[in-house]
Amino acid sequence: EDQVTQSPEALRLQEGESSSLNCSYTVSGLRGLFWYRQDPGKGPEFLFTLYSAGEEKEKERLKATLTKKESFLHITAPKPEDSATYLCAVQANLFDQAGTALIFGKGTTLSVSS
Amino acid sequence: GAVVSQHPSWVICKSGTSVKIECRSLDFQATTMFWYRQFPKQSLMLMATSNEGSKATYEQGVEKDKFLINHASLTLSTLTVTSAHPEDSSFYICSAKSRTGRTEQYFGPGTRLTVT
């Protein structure tokens, strides 16, 4: 069964204290791994797509990496405005052209205090 | 770019009535739109996938007669919750996938439904 597990469930950081969020996945065939940011009461905001092991993407203080079993979202010198829930999702069924559904993890809620 | 809107952003209705939620892709054409449901402190659960001009595909356990989905054009999909009950109260979020072939899904801001 395709599955996505995120850890930790919650993370509290001081401003400037770098850390990483983990997303472990098991899928029959990975089509893509996605990171989203979700603020309370809002829809998810797209951050990154990763397609193959070894791939890395960066955006401001965020950097996403991918291996064959997991992805990390590294946050460097976070600021209070980085506080949000970060969702990881995978798109499976590599050989099924119609298979575009995303499987989401439960998310990591990040709180950054000044 | 890649903006998705939803309307309304929140709605309160009485038990037994029907509610329609609209999802629009504002600056791109979406071949596929998805409807998710999210409970407090839970992740997104896919309800159904809709392709323009064809019937929606519902996930296991989702009642297609209760949650009516129409994808009338490449920029508009609607979700109608029929005969709503308090247990249908939730945060409903749509997403859209561009027809350009990119794999990313772009999400709307969500609709908070409260059934009294």
Side-chain angles (χ1 to χ4, degrees), chain A residues 36 38 43 46 49 51 100 105, chain B residues 34 38 43 103-105 107-109:
Chain A
Y36 289 88
Q38 186 175 27
F46 171 74
T49 308
Y51 294 104
T100 57
Chain B
F34 306 84
Q38 187 175 33
S43 192
T103 55
E104 291 85 7
Q105 292 182 26
F107 286 82

Side-chain angles (χ1 to χ4, degrees), chain A residues 25-65:
Chain A
Y25 64 91
T26 54
V27 292
S28 51
L30 182 67
R31 199 172 198 179
L33 184 141
F34 305 84
W35 282 98
Y36 289 88
R37 168 190 171 134
Q38 186 175 27
D39 292 299
K42 302 284 182 62
E45 174 190 346
F46 171 74
L47 294 175
F48 303 110
T49 308
L50 300 168
Y51 294 104
S52 57
E55 190 174 359
E56 298 182 352
K57 294 273 180 73
E58 280 189 76
K59 180 181 179 181
E60 297 180 354
R61 295 178 292 282
L62 300 177
K63 179 180 178 180
T65 62

Side-chain angles (χ1 to χ4, degrees), chain B residues 8 11-13 17-21 79-82 84 113:
Chain B
V11 58
I12 301 173
C13 71
T17 62
S18 296
V19 175
K20 180 185 283 189
I21 303 170
L79 168 68
T80 302
V81 183
T82 62
L113 170 64

Side-chain angles (χ1 to χ4, degrees), chain B residues 44-95:
Chain B
L44 285 77
M45 296 298 295
L46 180 67
M47 298 175 65
T49 302
S50 74
N51 291 292
E52 185 262 341
S54 61
K55 290 184 178 180
T57 302
Y58 291 81
E59 294 300 299
Q60 194 172 12
V62 177
E63 299 176 57
K64 62 180 182 180
D65 294 330
K66 180 170 187 59
F67 298 99
L68 302 178
I69 292 172
N70 182 275
H71 194 158
S73 74
L74 285 172
T75 59
L76 174 64
S77 176
T78 59
L79 168 68
T80 302
V81 183
T82 62
S83 187
H85 291 282
E87 56 265 32
D88 298 325
S89 299
S90 188
F91 192 52
Y92 292 87
I93 310 174
C94 73
S95 71

